[in-house]
Amino acid sequence: VAVATLSSYRETQAYERALIASGSAAATTAGQLRVMKDSVGAATGEYAEAQIALTALASAGQIAADTLALAARAAVDLSTLTGASIEESTQKIIALAKAPSAQLAELNQQYRFLSVEVYQHVRALEAQGRAQDAARLAIETFARVHEQRVQEA
């Protein structure tokens, strides 16, 4: 019990530090991040990787709270599929949030997942100044494809 309590405390502290570092840009709490970790971990079987991804995503401050769990799932699935480290996969998701259309085009060269319609929609959202919406659509598209690919593997 003491080990579990200490582990839970350390996890919460890591989430709180990540949120503080980003100025709470994700507009979420450490408790909500723990719930997201449990959800992503239950879906993927990769609880530790989900925690690492969520901590990095929250610290980056580029992804809205309603997209964090999906972004973490995308990072875990990408890591599972490619064998890349969870840190490397998470950085790709953060880059996707920072520059959605540019990163979609780059990731599509490697992973072949993007339709012209989705790409044009993301570009239009960026042109309208709707960066969060563009990032959300880019992450959703990437996550959906990689979730399906993990299921096929």
Side-chain angles (χ1 to χ4, degrees):
V1 175
V3 173
T5 301
L6 181 60
S7 176
S8 177
Y9 173 77
R10 287 183 178 157
E11 178 182 339
T12 300
Q13 289 296 103
Y15 288 146
E16 287 175 353
R17 282 192 301 275
L19 292 168
I20 290 167
S22 72
S24 294
T28 193
T29 66
Q32 290 169 322
L33 289 173
R34 290 188 67 191
V35 170
M36 289 179 209
K37 185 252 329 182
D38 290 341
S39 174
V40 173
T44 63
E46 302 292 345
Y47 290 88
E49 286 80 359
Q51 179 183 348
I52 293 166
L54 280 163
T55 302
L57 292 165
S59 181
Q62 298 292 316
I63 300 172
D66 65 350
T67 310
L68 278 172
L70 188 61
R73 172 76 189 259
V76 171
D77 285 344
L78 182 61
S79 177
T80 299
L81 280 170
T82 64
S85 72
I86 189 63
E87 293 85 0
E88 181 181 338
S89 296
T90 303
Q91 288 306 311
K92 288 184 180 189
I93 304 303
I94 292 169
L96 188 55
K98 286 181 180 178
S101 62
Q103 198 61 26
L104 274 175
E106 185 177 320
L107 290 169
N108 190 55
Q109 293 296 315
Q110 185 173 5
Y111 301 113
R112 309 276 186 234
F113 67 96
L114 185 61
S115 70
V116 171
E117 294 81 12
V118 170
Y119 180 73
Q120 289 175 340
H121 191 188
V122 169
R123 296 258 318 179
L125 290 169
E126 288 175 323
Q128 295 167 12
R130 296 171 55 194
Q132 286 288 333
D133 292 332
R136 183 177 299 107
L137 178 58
I139 291 167
E140 286 173 355
T141 301
F142 193 74
R144 185 175 50 249
V145 168
H146 285 85
E147 180 180 349
Q148 181 180 18
R149 289 179 181 176
V150 165
Q151 291 171 357
E152 292 171 2

